[in-house]
Amino acid sequence: MKSLNLLILLLLPFLSFAQQPPYTPAKERLAGFEVRKELNENSLVSNIEFTSVGPTVMSGRVADLAVNPNNPTEFYVAYAAGGLWKTENNGITFEPVFDNQAVLTMGDVAVDWERNIIWVGTGENNSSRSSYSGTGMYKSTDGGKTWSHLGLEESHHIGRIVLHPNDPNTAWVGVLGHLYSPNQERGLYKTTDGGATWNKTLFVDEDAGIIDVVVNPNAPNELYAASWERKRRAWNFWEGGANSKIFKSVDGGETWDVITDAERAFPTGEGVGRIGLDLYVDGDKTILYAFLDNQDRRPEDEKEEDDVLTKDDLRDMSKEDFLQLDEKQISKFISSNRFPDSDEFETSNIIAKVKDGSITPLTLVEYLENANAMLFDTPVIGGELYKSEDGGHSWTKTHEGFIDDFVYSYGYYFGEVRVADYDSDKVFIMGVPILRSDDGGKTFKSINGDNVHVDHHALWVNPNLKGHIINGNDGGVNISYDDGESWTKCNSPAVGTFYTVNYDMAKPYNIYGGLQDNGVWVGSSNYSASDRWHSSGRYPYQSIMGGDGMQIAVDTRDNNTVYTGYQFGNYFRINQATDQRTYITPSHKLGDRPYRWNWQTPIHLSIHNEDILYMGSNKFHRSMNQGDDFETLSDDLTKGGKKGDVAFGTLTSIHESPTRFGLVYVGSDDGLIHVTKDGGYTWKKISDNLPQDMWVSRVYASAHKESRVYIALNGYRWDKFTAMIYMSDNYGENWVSVANGLPAESVNVFKEDPNNEKVLYVGTDHALYVSINGGKSWMGMNQGLPDAPVHDLVVHPRESEIIIATHGRSIYTADVKHLQILHDSIVEKDFHLFAINKMRYRSNWGNTWSKWLEVQEPTVKFPVYLKSGGKVTTKIMSDDMELFSFDTDCRKGINYIEYHLELAPDIVKAYEEALNQDLKDGEDPITLEEAGNEKTYIYKGNYKIILEKDGKTLEGKLKISDK
């Protein structure tokens, strides 16, 4: 028995991922939605209002489009993580119509335009790193004013919705299923009673769901469905499998037959990936198009040049054979594989090291190859287009050879094909970029305009107007009227998909944000949405980095030096004044294996000395000179990585204690947390008593107590949506949960308030929550903030403003200065009035320079805390003269009573006399004139504010001055 126990202990590191944690059942997630609503309803801070500060210009990821064929200026856009939006003016403006449901993530939308019925399938139909799951099907019978949940809640991701062309009660739904776990609820579902009940008529297996469905509009019993076998884990994505197939039904989807196999000349086997479908119908003529992501490897090309050295040549090459190579061959290999430009990699030095035996030819190969590189040495076939003109009995590939530079190895992200109703040869396929064929897929042409994003997910082709198409991509919506030769961009909604956010200390301060596939942008915090930039030529935000925008650190000593980058650890130091960019990512040494960099590689700028920058790969790196040089100060701080095609075994979060230099915490994607108290020279693992194998989404050292640290764990990559937040008051020796009462939602970010140690903030996949008692209980804080994933947040220390980065609805800010002082002494009171901001006097209040402009009234807010809700009477007093009074219905918690600085009409004359009673000789009398909006406003001076509730009275002071 002892030997068995010893064997188990020895094998534990290798068995840590053998057992997949259970996913969160849909009933718990929907119950979490009810908890979310309750936390919002009972919140003391629900009146703290968020303001959208954009940006909009880069827009966000589109999942689907639904366009009214009889009036194509009216259409819906399903943004992947930003909800459903409608336009009635051809994309000039949009309004959200799905903002109060359990999720905002969209898979597909279908509209019965004749009856104004909308069907929505939640859960993005892509399978990317930030493809959030849904909670099933929803339906609106009044154009989006109200919604009903139709079930299929365990679907997670909806591939396609198809409506019966004649029967409004019949619909078919392709359920793609869970992204990170197997489930039995995948398949093709049919309803004949408007979604009240569903019948699963096609099931392949627990890893293969239905990604696409089409119906013959002239013969609706004829349907085609594409299954997609895919498995995603944090370390690997199996993009295809033998159960990726096309099925046909001739009885309205009741039974199905496979129509893709080797005998029909359609690819089969493990390399078959995502399949997109479209059907051309003209009378009895039907053509079924299928766009395939073929993950089979291309045959290796023969060498065009015998003297070109490859990695495969070096794998088994002996020392003697290497030393016989022409020096030019070695130099070419070094330059073509982008070895660092340093003395270590000079050709002569490499030859010398091989000669003395310190390295081998294989060392050069290993330097270039991380655990994933071998999977991509031979390119995949990629995107292919097939068609069948006999209902799937046989297939032909429409083109010869490969469609290069199109979907690469990540065709799973695209998979859409569209054919024009009026021309069977006009076909569009979507990838990077969007391609058009005018000859049935024999040849293709890129129609990716300069103002069109390169990643494409949706396309509508007008059946009634040739050349008119609407495209949805990672940069929003584009419209063309000439088959894609030129485009207009519809980017008014704030639907940016942000990963990260930060600030500087300029006045006004600037906001920096990194977005999915849209780079890094910076803009002023005083942003206000406007189309004026069309005439000024300068949008309020500016791009400072491309790719997928990642973490940002700003040197606040000059508010000019910025550290940021793009995916997989490619980071730069940017001088914003000169636009000089210096690549700073540390390189490993010859003889070492490459560092493993997370998709969102963590960086951290020391608050103690902003010359010091920390970076995390699978190891901890420190630069003392702004990234010019790095030291690697740790061994591997992960479980060692796993074989797969996604970088794994990487650090995900770094934070240094604001109270002590060199006290640093790091967390990894495989659930490890380490602490160093000496700047990185020695490390201690402190995660053994926490849930294992979870993604560490945040480590956060307290600014109020040196020994205190918080961590947030995220189970999204197991389809586990439990909120996991822990606190330690002894450097991670012991942990206690502070997630008390939070709903079943994955936690993306945790922050402690810089001014109040008991105020904590949490951003989840659906909301923002705040605690005012150190995590003992939580409240929703979402006034004006849609329920989009909150990916990141920061609190500006000078302005007391919280900045929220959402993945789907861009950036929001809110003033939290009253929240920061919401101590027990205030909460225990029945009634409390906070200090009132002074107002600057303006003589033009209530007037405009043109009668056609809207009057902007002055507003001052009286912040008040109430232990219970009710009516509050507000009186504005000048000495003993009451100038104005009004009642406000307030709720429990913080309220902001608005006063527009107006006078009661019957007091104007007496007030004017009082203002002039102490007039000195030679001074002009004060005259109060009625403004253009027929109101008279208060004058400069000091005023008493009296608030009355339930017989209790509070007094405050309001100052109005020239400055």
Side-chain angles (χ1 to χ4, degrees), residues 867-882:
K867 199 169 188 178
S868 61
K871 185 179 73 172
V872 175
T873 298
T874 302
K875 296 180 180 180
I876 317 300
M877 307 293 294
S878 177
D879 295 327
D880 294 327
M881 183 182 299
E882 182 180 307

Side-chain angles (χ1 to χ4, degrees), residues 912 915-917 919-920 922-928 939:
E912 185 178 77
L915 290 172
N916 288 294
Q917 66 182 0
L919 197 66
K920 296 179 182 179
E923 287 185 340
D924 293 330
I926 298 169
T927 303
L928 300 178
Y939 196 65

Side-chain angles (χ1 to χ4, degrees), residues 53 70 112 117 206 227 263-264 295 366 369 391 498 582 600 621 665 753 765 785:
V53 291
N70 298 317
D112 180 343
I117 299 174
E206 63 181 10
S227 63
E263 295 180 358
R264 302 176 196 239
Q295 289 289 309
E366 291 177 337
E369 289 185 337
F498 279 85
T582 304
Q600 295 184 54
H621 312 277
Y665 298 87
D753 189 86
D765 284 351
L785 185 68

Side-chain angles (χ1 to χ4, degrees), residues 33 36 40 99-104 765-767 782 785-789:
F33 176 44
R36 188 197 321 162
N40 286 335
D99 273 12
N100 299 310
Q101 309 310 311
V103 294
L104 279 186
D765 284 351
H766 303 291
N782 295 283
L785 185 68
D787 291 348

